[in-house]
Amino acid sequence: SGLPSVLVALQCRGVPVYAVESKGRKTAFLKEVVSTLDLDNLHVRTENVVELTRSVAFDVGYVTAKAFKPLPDVLKLAARAVKSRARLLVPVSEGQAAELAQQGVLNPEVDLVREGAFLYFARDVEPSLSMAQRRVIGGEEDEQAAAAATGH
């Protein structure tokens, strides 16, 4: 997601970070942040993530999302978005965590990680879609394709 990706990109400057937002005004802001802070590792896309993951899979180790959909839907979407196993991290409040535990969506002993004052739902997700007919973004395959496209 958008703003959290800026923080990740700042902390992990050598790691490619991908931000997918459906709203052009959000991506315009993120692109300005990329330019202002010289975050050449942050790649911003203006696309609907559901539509995007029909043709693309991300070769990443981590996925983050804000609570734009119920957590079970976010889990499914994360599994659609990845090429291989990745860790999903979603910030949650204490109240959300308690409610999700009561609903049986998460196990507080396994699925919650605390980093200082912040609480995250954290679970590994496996890819749910075949790679047939899907392009990879990130990782060595994407770097090789970019190099071929630019003649490097």
Side-chain angles (χ1 to χ4, degrees):
S1 64
L3 194 53
S5 65
V6 172
L7 301 175
V8 173
L10 281 166
Q11 288 297 310
C12 306
R13 289 208 176 240
V15 176
V17 177
Y18 304 91
V20 179
E21 287 285 355
S22 62
K23 307 251 186 291
R25 64 181 169 75
K26 289 182 181 180
T27 55
F29 168 76
L30 290 171
K31 289 176 180 180
E32 183 64 29
V33 169
V34 166
S35 175
T36 301
L37 299 178
D38 194 29
L39 288 175
D40 57 355
N41 63 322
L42 180 55
H43 309 279
V44 179
R45 299 180 70 109
T46 308
E47 295 186 60
N48 177 295
V49 70
V50 174
E51 294 298 321
L52 178 65
T53 58
R54 289 188 176 140
S55 60
V56 165
F58 290 88
D59 187 6
V60 295
Y62 292 89
V63 176
T64 186
K66 295 178 289 190
F68 70 103
K69 289 185 174 282
L71 189 55
D73 293 344
V74 173
L75 274 163
K76 289 177 189 170
L77 188 53
R80 286 176 52 111
V82 296
K83 175 187 174 204
S84 56
R85 174 182 273 191
R87 187 86 165 151
L88 172 64
L89 297 169
V90 179
V92 294
S93 69
E94 296 285 347
Q96 288 171 316
E99 184 178 324
L100 292 166
Q102 187 176 30
Q103 295 169 356
V105 174
L106 66 78
N107 175 343
E109 302 297 319
V110 176
D111 294 322
L112 295 177
V113 174
R114 184 173 300 283
E115 289 291 331
F118 301 100
L119 185 63
Y120 297 91
F121 168 83
R123 186 180 291 171
D124 288 345
V125 292
E126 296 286 346
S128 64
L129 295 179
S130 162
M131 286 306 299
Q133 306 296 320
R134 294 201 317 155
R135 187 170 56 86
V136 174
I137 294 178
E140 290 180 25
E141 293 173 50
D142 191 43
E143 290 171 14
Q144 291 170 354
T150 60
H152 294 107

